[in-house]
Amino acid sequence: MNADGAIITSTLSDEESIENAALLSQLSMKASMMVNAMDPEDELTFLRIRSHKREVMIAPEKEYLMVVIQTVESSS
């Protein structure tokens, strides 16, 4: 998504894309604020969250927020 929150491209439905974009941009902003609070000279460069079913990777940049959501393959 770009800096204004507009979705650039997505393989999800429009509804899922809009919901995920809103939630993940807020999460990225909060994580960035936390990193800055720990060290004002540092910045968030990558955020990865993994659950049993999915993995979310966020790479914040100045002009856009790149998000990848993928299904985790089971190892059984």
Side-chain angles (χ1 to χ4, degrees), residues 10-58:
S10 177
T11 58
L12 300 174
S13 71
D14 288 345
E15 185 178 315
E16 289 175 315
S17 295
I18 292 167
E19 181 178 4
N20 283 315
L23 293 171
L24 292 173
S25 64
Q26 290 176 13
L27 178 62
S28 177
M29 188 181 311
K30 297 260 185 192
S32 182
M33 288 169 35
M34 184 197 75
V35 169
N36 189 264
M38 290 189 302
D39 183 352
E41 295 180 14
D42 203 359
E43 66 180 312
L44 180 70
T45 57
F46 193 79
L47 178 62
R48 179 179 172 212
I49 303 165
R50 185 178 170 125
S51 70
H52 290 291
K53 296 181 180 181
R54 290 181 187 79
E55 183 174 39
V56 179
M57 294 162 283
I58 305 170

